[in-house]
């Protein structure tokens, strides 16, 4: 029973991590501008993230190392620092986007500008990390995140044409606006394959004292949880394709994305959208804050852990405190949250190989994973998808910046 | 034993299971008529900065002169104090004496926040 419960909780956790402001914004853009034709990017991203999350859990269960800990040990300080800089930069931008997402959700409901909400929402995130335990964060927020199922209900009610949806699974060349098309594809990939998820997951497995008995549970959680996250993201895309695309609305602001659920679900849909955005962004912000602190602490040898008192893990606590404060300030400064979200997701894609390639070396090193090394299929899939995402990003980001 | 792979950059854990840093360096003793011997483990200070780039070390030293804890030299743990090398490197010392930055952050920043 406790094993089943563990699987269930793990699945909720992964959903909490998967559907956040990045996934909502990028898939809504995709559906509005290109109908069903970018579903393939969600599928590719989901496949890649299933493999990577499974690997993070397996590394922790077999070697009792977190990813960053093992990276520092195996490759020395230089490679570790390169990955650290890249991760902290990306996490910072994405964290600001999540705080922006929470603030916008409150703006939608109250009418008060998101800039006023950035400090309160940032403070709430910090307070939960400061006071809460790992279990509270892992399970509580993820359970609340189930409100995101509203998107699946909405997609169902809109009765999408199934053959066209399925045709979207096959990658194709852009029907129009090629730069915007590839940029959106890159952002979707970046939103799905968020490196902070792996750091959060691997450190969580260490906090929960996983061992080799957890390999099966880990596989189930990664596969079912991430697949379900992918289904939710696809649902957002489908709803956008059916609600926004026919009207020619290409959302420039979050207010327009909020219309998504209002058509199929009425006034309740409007509040459900705000609720989903608020809760899922809060969940992601908590994971981002912790993941960043893990990245520092695991690689530099600091005392760490969400279940120890703040004073017993001083530098660990300080690092998430500073990150959240700076990210809130960036939002107060009035940066457009939607543009920041799309840009930081694309940037995530660009830096994927920096994160995934050293990680793959670890996952094939018998000193770390023993007989539980990677199958060649998972190596090939992760290399292919992260290279694809990175190369596309290298081309699409400058073109998008010049054009937009 | 492979020092580079099994000891250097490993997690250091003190006798109370507190993480006290990484093995940032090793001190080798040259002996006449025999192979060099590991004399001590080094951790902390500006050692990591030196390994990254000499200029970083200069900056780190300058920063620590005006800001942060007084103790800037790396902590030296005699090899005899190493108890076990496995997932971590376990040493028979008390971390309380060897983590100036951790304690500086605790006593100068965190103590001002309620509930620490």
């Amino acid at each position: 029973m406790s094993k089943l419960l563990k699987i269930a909780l793990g699945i909720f956790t992964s959903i909490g991590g998967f559907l956040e402001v990045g996934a909502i914004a990028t898939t809504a853009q995709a559906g509005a501008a290109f109908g069903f034709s970018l579903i393939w990017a969600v599928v590719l991203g989901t496949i890649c993230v299933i493999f990577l999350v499974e690997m993070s859990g397996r590394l922790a269960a077999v070697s009792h190392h977190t990813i960053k800990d093992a990276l520092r040990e195996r490759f020395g300080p230089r490679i570790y620092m390169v990955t650290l800089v890249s991760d902290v930069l990306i996490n910072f931008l994405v964290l600001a986007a999540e705080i922006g997402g929470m603030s916008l959700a409150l703006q939608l409901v109250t009418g008060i500008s998101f800039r006023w909400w950035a400090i309160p929402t940032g403070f709430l995130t910090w307070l939960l990390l400061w006071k809460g335990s790992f279990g509270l964060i892992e399970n509580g927020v993820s359970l609340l995140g189930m409100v995101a199922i509203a998107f699946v209900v909405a997609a169902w009610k809109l009765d999408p044409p199934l053959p066209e949806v399925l045709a979207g699974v096959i990658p194709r060349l852009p029907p129009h606006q090629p730069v915007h098309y590839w940029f959106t594809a890159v952002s979707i990939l970046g939103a799905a394959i968020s490196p902070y998820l792996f750091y959060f997951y691997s450190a969580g497995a260490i906090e929960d004292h996983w061992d080799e008995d957890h390999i099966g549970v880990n596989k189930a959680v990664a596969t079912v949880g991430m697949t379900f996250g992918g289904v939710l993201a696809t649902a957002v895309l489908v709803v956008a394709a059916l609600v926004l695309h026919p009207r020619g609305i290409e959302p420039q602001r979050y207010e327009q994305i909020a219309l998504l659920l209002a058509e199929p679900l009425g006034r309740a849909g409007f509040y459900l959208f705000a609720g989903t955005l608020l809760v899922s962004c809060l969940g992601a912000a908590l994971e981002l804050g912790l993941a960043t602190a893990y990245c520092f602490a695991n690689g530099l040898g600091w005392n760490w852990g969400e279940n120890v008192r703040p004073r017993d893990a001083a530098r660990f606590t300080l690092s998430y405190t500073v990150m959240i404060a700076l990210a809130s300030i960036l939002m107060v400064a009035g940066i457009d949250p939607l543009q920041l979200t799309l840009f930081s997701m694309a940037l995530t894609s660009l830096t994927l190989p920096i994160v995934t390639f050293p990680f793959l070396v670890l996952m094939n090193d018998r000193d770390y994973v023993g007989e539980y090394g990677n199958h060649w299929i998972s190596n090939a899939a992760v290399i292919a998808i992260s290279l694809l995402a990175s190369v596309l990003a290298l081309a699409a980001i400058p073109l998008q910046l010049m054009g937009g | 034993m492979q020092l580079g792979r099994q000891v250097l950059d490993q997690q250091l854990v003190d006798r109370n299971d507190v993480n006290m840093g990484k093995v940032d360096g090793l001190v080798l003793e040259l002996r006449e008529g025999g192979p060099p011997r590991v004399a001590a483990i080094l951790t902390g200070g500006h050692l990591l900065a030196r390994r990254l780039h000499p200029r970083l070390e200069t900056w780190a030293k300058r920063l620590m002169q005006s800001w942060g804890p007084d103790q800037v030299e790396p902590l030296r743990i005699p090899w005899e104090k190493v108890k076990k090398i496995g997932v971590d490197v376990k040493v028979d010392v008390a971390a309380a004496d060897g983590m100036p930055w951790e304690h500086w952050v605790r006593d100068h920043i965190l103590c001002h926040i309620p509930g620490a």
Side-chain angles (χ1 to χ4, degrees):
Chain A
M1 179 57 213
S2 104
K3 205 151 215 179
L4 268 179
L5 192 71
K6 231 179 190 137
I7 297 182
L9 284 177
I11 290 167
F12 290 134
T13 312
S14 36
I15 298 162
F18 195 102
L19 195 79
E20 36 67 71
V21 68
I24 294 177
T26 56
T27 49
Q29 288 279 329
F34 303 104
F36 303 117
S37 52
L38 272 167
I39 292 181
W40 62 266
V42 181
V43 175
L44 270 190
T46 307
I47 292 173
C48 192
V49 83
I50 289 173
F51 280 124
L52 285 165
V53 165
E54 191 277 328
M55 287 177 206
S56 326
R58 180 153 42 94
L59 177 72
V62 180
S63 78
H64 304 286
H65 285 292
T66 61
I67 298 175
K68 280 285 186 253
D69 178 18
L71 272 181
R72 163 81 194 268
E73 194 184 295
R74 175 71 171 74
F75 296 103
R78 287 200 179 168
I79 299 278
Y80 161 70
M81 276 297 167
V82 170
T83 67
L84 181 73
V85 168
S86 143
D87 285 321
V88 170
L89 179 73
I90 297 282
N91 285 359
F92 172 67
L93 293 177
V94 179
L95 180 60
E98 305 294 348
I99 290 174
M102 278 188 269
S103 307
L104 274 160
L106 290 167
Q107 176 184 330
L108 288 174
V109 177
T110 62
I112 300 169
S113 162
F114 72 91
R115 292 171 66 172
W116 291 98
W117 290 111
I119 298 288
T121 51
F123 182 73
L124 174 71
T125 309
W126 174 82
L127 193 67
L128 282 169
L129 290 180
W130 181 262
K131 287 281 179 201
S133 67
F134 189 77
L136 174 87
I137 287 159
E138 190 180 32
N139 306 324
V141 180
S142 317
L143 281 172
L144 284 174
M146 297 307 278
V147 68
I149 290 179
F151 278 107
V152 179
V153 175
W156 184 264
K157 281 188 80 168
L158 287 167
D159 195 19
L162 210 54
E164 287 175 45
V165 173
L166 286 178
V169 173
I170 299 156
R172 64 177 95 170
L173 291 175
H176 51 90
Q177 293 176 285
V179 171
H180 188 40
Y181 179 87
W182 292 117
F183 182 78
T184 310
V186 163
S187 324
I188 291 178
L189 285 169
I193 317 168
S194 310
Y196 74 86
L197 264 184
F198 323 140
Y199 304 129
F200 178 76
Y201 194 78
S202 87
I206 299 284
E207 295 223 34
D208 287 341
H209 305 288
W210 281 20
D211 54 29
E212 286 170 24
D213 292 343
H214 288 81
I215 287 179
V217 175
N218 173 50
K219 201 170 272 178
V221 167
T223 313
V224 181
M226 291 299 142
T227 304
F228 197 53
V231 168
L232 290 178
T234 309
V236 179
L237 190 149
V238 166
V239 174
L242 293 171
V243 174
L244 302 179
H245 188 57
R247 294 176 177 74
I249 301 176
E250 278 190 33
Q252 298 293 325
R253 304 165 65 82
Y254 271 102
E255 289 86 332
Q256 291 163 308
I257 301 182
L259 298 174
L260 280 182
L261 290 180
E263 173 162 316
L265 304 175
R267 184 129 191 94
F270 175 77
Y271 289 107
L272 273 174
F273 178 83
T276 306
L277 191 63
L278 181 70
V279 174
S280 55
C281 291
L282 175 63
L286 291 168
E287 293 189 1
L288 276 155
L290 278 183
T292 311
Y294 291 140
C295 284
F296 280 107
N298 298 163
L300 296 171
W302 303 344
N303 217 23
W304 61 279
E306 173 56 11
N307 293 328
V308 298
R309 283 181 311 166
R311 57 178 299 113
D312 292 330
R315 286 174 288 185
F316 172 80
T317 312
L318 181 70
S319 50
Y320 70 66
T321 304
V322 171
M323 275 288 281
I324 293 173
L326 291 179
S328 301
I329 291 170
L330 188 66
M331 270 300 116
V332 176
I335 287 197
D336 180 53
L338 184 59
Q339 297 308 320
L340 175 69
T341 306
L342 299 176
F343 179 70
S344 55
M345 296 304 144
L347 214 54
T348 304
S349 276
L350 184 69
T351 57
L352 271 182
I354 301 178
V355 175
T356 55
F357 287 5
F359 182 31
L360 283 179
V361 174
L362 286 174
M363 294 311 297
N364 290 282
D365 186 334
R366 295 183 70 90
D367 281 357
Y368 287 92
V369 283
E371 57 185 302
Y372 300 101
N374 269 359
H375 194 275
W376 69 268
I377 292 180
S378 47
N379 287 332
V382 171
I383 291 176
I385 297 174
S386 42
L387 264 185
L388 174 79
S390 185
V391 170
L392 282 179
L394 196 62
I397 293 175
L399 288 172
Q400 174 80 11
L401 285 178
M402 278 189 281
Chain B
M1 185 169 45
Q2 292 173 281
L3 285 174
R5 196 145 178 175
Q6 289 172 293
V7 183
L8 194 62
D9 289 314
Q10 289 264 5
Q11 181 69 46
L12 264 180
V13 181
D14 87 338
R15 64 164 77 105
N16 302 314
D17 284 325
V18 174
N19 290 333
M20 57 180 298
K22 296 276 178 185
V23 180
D24 292 318
L26 295 166
V27 180
L28 295 183
E29 206 174 57
L30 296 175
R31 294 181 301 174
E32 263 182 60
R37 196 181 68 96
V38 184
I41 280 174
L42 296 176
T43 182
H46 32 73
L47 209 53
L48 186 63
R50 183 194 300 171
R51 285 176 66 199
L52 287 167
H53 198 283
R55 195 171 300 153
L56 266 180
E57 188 192 12
T58 322
W59 290 344
K61 274 186 175 165
R62 206 171 296 161
L63 176 78
M64 284 199 247
Q65 269 169 9
S66 50
W67 203 73
D70 299 330
Q71 180 197 339
V72 289
E73 287 308 309
L75 179 71
R76 189 185 163 110
I77 302 168
W79 187 251
E80 294 74 47
K81 296 280 185 190
V82 174
K83 289 297 155 215
K84 198 179 146 207
I85 295 173
V87 174
D88 308 315
V89 173
K90 186 141 176 146
V91 288
D92 187 23
V93 297
D97 314 323
M99 296 197 294
W101 270 107
E102 179 78 12
H103 297 148
W104 189 86
V105 169
R106 185 188 69 197
D107 298 336
H108 287 81
I109 303 174
L110 284 201
C111 66
H112 298 301
I113 308 174

